[in-house]
Amino acid sequence: MTRFIRVRFLIFIVVLTCALEAHRVSAQEAPKSPAVEKKDEFQQAMEGGRAFARQGRIDDAINEFRRAAKLRDDKCAECFQIIGQIYLQFGKLKEAAAAFRQCVELKPSNEAEIYNILGVALYMQKEKASYDEAATALKRAIELSKGKLPKAYYNLGYALIRAGKEQEGIDALKKFLELFPGASEASQARAVIANTKMVDARVAPFFAVKSHTGEDLSLEKLRGKIVLLDFWASWCIPCRIDIPEVRKIWKKYGGDQFVIVGINLDSNRPAFEAYMKEEAITWPQYYDGRGWGNKVSQLYGVYAIPHTVLIDQDGVIQATGLKGEELSEKIAGVLKKLQK
C-alpha cells in the first residue's frame, strides 16, 4: 500500500470509528459493502505481489498479480504488464510475451509502450517467426505513438534485419537516429547501418571527453586499439583492492595496441589526485567531479564499482565486469586476435 493510500485509509478509519461511537455500534457489527471488500482484496493482492517480487519470490509474486487480475475479471492491464515485466526480467520470454498480449488487448493508456516491450520480448526469443511478430508489434507501437516513441524504431530496425529485411531495418535505424541523435544507442545504430552483421555485436557507446590532464579521450581516437574502461573511485574500498591488479595489466599490456582509460567517480578532486599520486597511476583518467553522475558512467549504465568494460579494435564490447587474472586472460586473447 502506498503512503498516500495508507494515509487516506487511516483517515477513513478515524471517521468511521467516531460515527460508530455516536451510534453505539461496534466496529465488528458494522457491515462492509461487497464492493469495498473486493477493492481491499485487490489492493492487498497487488501489494502482496510487489512485496514478493522485492523478496525475489517470483512465483508467489506472479500468483498474487494473477489473483488481482481475477478480482478485476481479468481486466487489469497493470496486472498483466507487471507479470510480463517480471517474466522478461527472468528470461521467461514466451510467458512475458503472453502477458503483454493480454495487456494490450485491454487497450491501456500506455498501449504504445506495451507494444514496444512486447516487440522486445518477441525479438529476444531469437526465432524466425518471432522476429516477424516482433516487427508487427513494433510497427503498431510506432503507429499508436504517432512516431513519438524513438526506441521503437531502433527495436524495429533490429527485428527487420533479423527477419531478413535488411533495407527496411536500416531505414528504421536511420529514422531512430533522426529522432534521437544523442541516444546512448546511437553508436550501435550507426555501426549496424554501416554493416548489418554488427546486429549481433554490442557496440561501445561513443564518447569524446578531456582527460584529467587536458588531453582528448575518445573512442574514435582510440579505434584500432584494445581499450579497457576501468570505473573506480578513491573512496571505494573494493576499487583500492583492485587497483594493484589493474596496474599489473597496464604494465603487462600497455602500449601501441592496448590502453586503459580510468573513469573516476570521485567528487573531490584533491582526494582523487592524492590517490593517483599515492598509487602511481599513470594511465589516462577521465574525471568530471560529478561522482555517480559521471558523464561516461551514466552513458555506460554503471551503478556499481569497480567495473570494467573491455572494447576491441572495432569498438565492440568483448567483456564487462571482469577482474584480476580472468580479465588479464581475456585481454591476452583479444590482443592475440588483433595481432593475427
Side-chain angles (χ1 to χ4, degrees), residues 50-178:
R50 292 189 179 98
F52 283 136
R54 287 192 294 270
Q55 296 166 16
R57 296 169 60 180
I58 304 309
D59 290 340
D60 290 332
I62 288 172
N63 287 338
E64 281 297 282
F65 288 122
R66 289 202 184 283
R67 183 167 74 89
K70 288 293 182 186
L71 290 167
R72 291 288 174 86
D73 298 321
D74 280 337
K75 294 180 180 179
C76 173
E78 181 186 6
C79 301
F80 293 119
Q81 178 181 340
I82 296 172
I83 290 168
Q85 289 170 331
I86 292 173
Y87 276 135
L88 186 62
Q89 182 179 356
F90 286 87
K92 295 188 175 183
L93 304 175
K94 292 185 185 298
E95 293 88 342
F100 291 133
R101 288 192 194 96
Q102 286 179 285
C103 182
V104 293
E105 285 173 4
L106 297 171
K107 306 292 181 184
S109 60
N110 61 341
E111 188 177 2
E113 287 84 355
I114 302 302
Y115 266 110
N116 181 51
I117 197 170
L118 169 60
V120 171
L122 290 164
Y123 175 86
M124 290 173 66
Q125 292 177 30
K126 297 183 177 180
E127 298 173 0
K128 178 63 170 69
S130 69
Y131 292 137
D132 290 328
E133 192 179 351
T136 299
L138 293 163
K139 286 177 181 178
R140 181 62 175 153
I142 291 167
E143 178 186 359
L144 288 168
S145 69
K146 295 181 171 57
K148 295 180 180 179
L149 195 61
K151 286 194 176 181
Y153 282 104
Y154 178 81
N155 297 332
L156 176 61
Y158 271 71
L160 288 169
I161 290 170
R162 283 288 199 176
K165 302 171 184 176
E166 292 194 1
Q167 189 55 55
E168 288 183 52
I170 289 171
D171 291 342
L173 291 174
K174 286 180 177 178
K175 184 65 175 179
F176 167 72
L177 290 174
E178 177 188 325

